[in-house]
Amino acid sequence: MHPGEYTAQTVFENFMDGTWSASSSGRLFENRNPANHDDVIGVFQESTADDAVRAIDAAERAYADWRLVPAPRRAEMLFRAAQLIADRKEQFARDMTREMGKVLEETRGDVQEAIDMTFFMAGEGRRMYGQTVPSELRDKFAMSVRQPLGVCGVITPWNFPMAIPSWKIVPALVCGNTVVFKPSSLTPLSAVNFVKVLAEAGVPPGVVNMVTGGPEVGTVLSTHDAVKVVSFTGSTAVGRLVNQNAAPAFKKVHLEMGGKNIVIVMDDAQLELAVEGCVWGGFGTTGQRCTAASRVVVHEKVHDEFLAEFSRRVKALRVGDGAIDGVQMGPSISESQLETVMRYVEIGRKEGATLVLGGHRLQEHAYARGWFHEPTIFADVQPSMRIAREEIFGPVVSVMRCRSLAEAIDIGNDVEYGLSASIYTRDINKAFAAMRDMYTGIFYVNAPTIGAEVHLPFGGTKATGNGHREAGIAALDVFSEWKSIYVDFSGRLQRAQIDTE
Ligand code: NAD
């Protein structure tokens, strides 16, 4: 695809060194509405490795000054950015629904998360606390301070197109780093909206650069010598590749990857509340959340009652274009994601699970031009089945049975991933035991597996993450490095550990 073919449409460019410019490739890609693929939102730059290198060069040059701007001054720009996003919340949410399909109520939430994160992190400009500690020697001062690292490569997925970029870019900036940002090719418009706001808020040229495109750009961000931190959110397979690519240069790599999250429903649970939570956790964002409640394990005493009510509630969900009032679940993001969902429905059937609800693509009438699938529930699922172990990333929930809390926890932990889990119970002892024993980065009591807030750490264990966390002050650990400083004002040589008298 070449620029001339798109004169009637909006062409979006890369952002480098404070200016918008076309890729050297001369190639473009389309961004289409997943609820109606006749609706072309715009065309974006299919960038090359050279474009990525130019953006990194710009970020490296800008770093020389940006790292010396006092953090409270950097934060003032971020406060302005947060307010600008708030002023444009409705437009940004509508753009997002159009490009990735989730319902307006949820895209407003996505934009709100970017607002919350930006205000929260801007506050760090006047904190970013280090430590001062007493020295073991007289007339000696000891402290630690956070220092920026340099250029950060930021690679993001499509399911939270403004929230996730904000989780990475804003803490990177407040710490004094510069950024090259590669958004998902499925949601580049929300990325453009976010980057424009940062520039308008006064972030200087070269401090934030955006390069759209595919793996070619991502590979440069993971391998180039000048990139000191790679912060990636996406699938476990691509995360592993990023990690391998970044390893030879010992880059700091922050990975947030897949999930197979579980809701545990005990026999003493408030069943109505559990059902409501499982509907929201399983089918919110069409199941396309890393924290989606794609597994539910229910105590055998209440299993049948739960399943009947859960199915009744899910059957009533209104599926459609997320921009239309009253719609509760939008389309899958793309044809290939829809095919993945359909493939897993087939796998579930073949594995012998009982298809209780849904199981088909929606193609008639209003659904004809989009990537829609029925909300789908499997019951009689065994923990060993693939539908209970692999991330599907669609509107498919697997329901299992258990006889005890211990069994539920074993099932919960026996997957490759470790992002989020939850329990519904009125027994505080069970709640605390599950809170302690589920090996996940996030845990909820009497709430579904989704609903994280920006001021606590976010991330997972095992194949979900590599030990880092974003959000909260934990994000500062990704985007800064500790320097320990000793100032000896005794005027003589004092030897730690040796001059002990
Ligand atoms: P993806 O892995 O396909 O893509 C993520 C990003 O990586 C995109 O920008 C993509 O262009 C880029 N990329 C692709 N190949 C690359 C390469 N070789 N080198 C560098 N970058 C490359 O994931 P997706 O489909 O966009 O998002 C869905 C996945 O993201 C799911 O697995 C979901 O669980 C995960 N996710 C995780 C979290 C979390 O916090 N744990 C949050 C949201 C989404």
Side-chain angles (χ1 to χ4, degrees):
M1 296 165 191
H2 296 277
E5 298 167 33
Y6 287 99
T7 45
Q9 291 168 2
T10 316
V11 179
F12 293 90
E13 295 184 315
N14 289 331
F15 189 64
M16 271 186 224
D17 221 358
T19 55
W20 296 91
S21 60
S23 161
S24 56
S25 72
R27 284 183 289 124
L28 299 165
F29 66 87
E30 286 179 336
N31 181 15
R32 287 177 184 260
N33 183 340
N36 169 14
H37 40 74
D38 290 342
D39 176 20
V40 182
I41 294 154
V43 287
F44 293 79
Q45 306 297 314
E46 187 65 64
S47 306
T48 61
D50 276 355
D51 298 321
V53 170
R54 279 194 297 125
I56 292 168
D57 289 346
E60 202 178 11
R61 285 193 302 276
Y63 178 63
D65 284 339
W66 181 248
R67 74 184 183 94
L68 300 177
V69 175
R73 297 278 91 80
R74 296 196 289 256
E76 282 164 16
M77 300 171 203
L78 298 174
F79 278 123
R80 275 201 293 280
Q83 190 54 52
L84 286 170
I85 304 170
D87 295 345
R88 294 171 200 175
K89 177 173 170 180
E90 188 59 22
Q91 186 54 48
F92 288 175
R94 287 184 182 276
D95 283 350
M96 194 185 292
T97 291
R98 191 174 164 210
E99 74 173 345
M100 59 76 68
K102 52 183 182 189
V103 300
L104 260 180
E105 198 180 22
E106 290 187 46
T107 51
R108 288 185 189 120
D110 193 306
V111 178
Q112 186 59 46
E113 202 163 328
I115 297 166
D116 295 344
M117 178 57 81
T118 309
F119 274 126
F120 171 74
M121 274 297 160
E124 281 306 310
R126 284 191 184 269
R127 285 189 294 269
M128 234 185 281
Y129 298 136
Q131 299 125 31
T132 56
V133 295
S135 166
E136 65 194 43
L137 295 164
R138 265 186 68 158
D139 300 334
K140 190 178 171 192
F141 186 85
M143 64 182 166
S144 65
V145 296
R146 289 190 185 273
Q147 298 237 297
L149 287 97
V151 180
C152 300
V154 166
I155 304 172
T156 56
W158 47 266
N159 63 335
F160 280 84
M162 194 168 287
I164 292 179
S166 79
W167 295 356
K168 299 178 185 306
I169 295 172
V170 177
L173 295 182
V174 83
C175 288
N177 306 282
T178 57
V179 169
V180 179
F181 168 33
K182 191 209 89 61
S184 165
S185 296
L186 294 164
T187 50
L189 180 57
S190 297
V192 166
N193 286 339
F194 187 60
V195 166
K196 273 187 179 161
V197 155
L198 292 172
E200 217 176 304
V203 174
V207 171
V208 174
N209 308 273
M210 185 199 69
V211 185
T212 54
E216 203 178 331
V217 176
T219 302
V220 175
L221 294 186
S222 328
T223 51
H224 194 289
D225 276 347
V227 176
K228 303 301 179 203
V229 182
V230 187
S231 182
F232 167 88
T233 299
S235 61
T236 297
V238 175
R240 184 171 288 118
L241 204 58
V242 167
N243 208 13
Q244 285 166 346
N245 283 338
F250 307 112
K251 291 186 198 312
K252 197 168 181 181
V253 182
H254 162 232
L255 303 170
E256 297 291 347
M257 302 173 285
K260 192 72 185 176
N261 314 289
I262 194 161
V263 175
I264 299 170
V265 182
M266 295 312 297
D267 51 347
D268 62 2
Q270 213 179 318
L271 223 52
E272 257 299 299
L273 187 67
V275 166
E276 203 178 359
C278 289
V279 175
W280 172 229
F283 299 97
T285 318
T286 319
Q288 302 172 120
R289 285 187 183 227
C290 51
T291 51
S294 53
R295 299 185 292 159
V296 182
V297 61
V298 190
H299 195 281
E300 59 182 1
K301 282 192 195 152
V302 292
H303 173 277
D304 294 353
E305 193 187 339
F306 171 88
L307 187 61
E309 186 56 15
F310 184 44
S311 307
R312 193 184 69 74
R313 290 286 303 275
V314 173
K315 196 171 182 192
L317 284 175
R318 286 186 296 279
V319 180
D321 181 338
I324 296 171
D325 265 358
V327 166
Q328 293 165 298
M329 193 185 98
S332 290
I333 180 72
S334 63
E335 186 172 18
S336 85
Q337 193 60 48
L338 175 66
E339 283 167 2
T340 301
V341 171
M342 290 161 64
R343 198 170 60 246
Y344 271 103
V345 169
E346 202 40 47
I347 289 169
R349 281 183 213 264
K350 286 200 177 128
E351 286 180 312
T354 308
L355 184 63
V356 176
L357 189 76
H360 305 100
R361 179 180 178 177
L362 290 163
Q363 268 180 304
E364 300 297 311
H365 313 295
Y367 301 124
R369 313 302 302 156
W371 312 123
F372 293 98
H373 195 278
E374 290 175 332
T376 298
I377 300 174
F378 277 109
D380 302 320
V381 175
Q382 298 305 312
S384 58
M385 291 179 180
R386 286 181 64 192
I387 54 167
R389 309 185 74 78
E390 297 174 16
E391 186 181 53
I392 302 173
F393 228 55
V396 182
V397 173
S398 295
V399 180
M400 295 171 278
R401 281 171 200 268
C402 67
R403 275 156 302 188
S404 65
L405 177 63
E407 188 187 2
I409 289 172
D410 282 348
I411 293 171
N413 279 330
D414 185 26
V415 287
E416 176 188 11
Y417 301 107
L419 184 52
S420 182
S422 91
I423 188 167
Y424 282 88
T425 179
R426 278 181 278 201
D427 180 339
I428 194 163
N429 297 350
K430 289 198 177 90
F432 269 87
M435 192 190 307
R436 180 193 58 201
D437 294 340
M438 280 304 303
Y439 184 41
T440 55
I442 307 169
F443 190 80
Y444 295 87
V445 177
N446 292 328
T449 54
I450 65 179
E453 301 179 29
V454 302
H455 45 304
L456 278 184
F458 182 96
T461 61
K462 303 191 276 186
T464 299
N466 62 339
H468 294 283
R469 291 290 183 270
E470 53 196 348
I473 52 169
L476 301 176
D477 292 333
V478 172
F479 296 104
S480 66
E481 234 162 12
W482 286 113
K483 183 177 278 178
S484 298
I485 299 172
Y486 303 92
V487 181
D488 193 315
F489 55 100
S490 68
R492 58 198 168 86
L493 174 67
Q494 297 197 91
R495 299 173 302 171
Q497 294 93 36
I498 294 169
D499 298 331
T500 52
E501 289 307 307

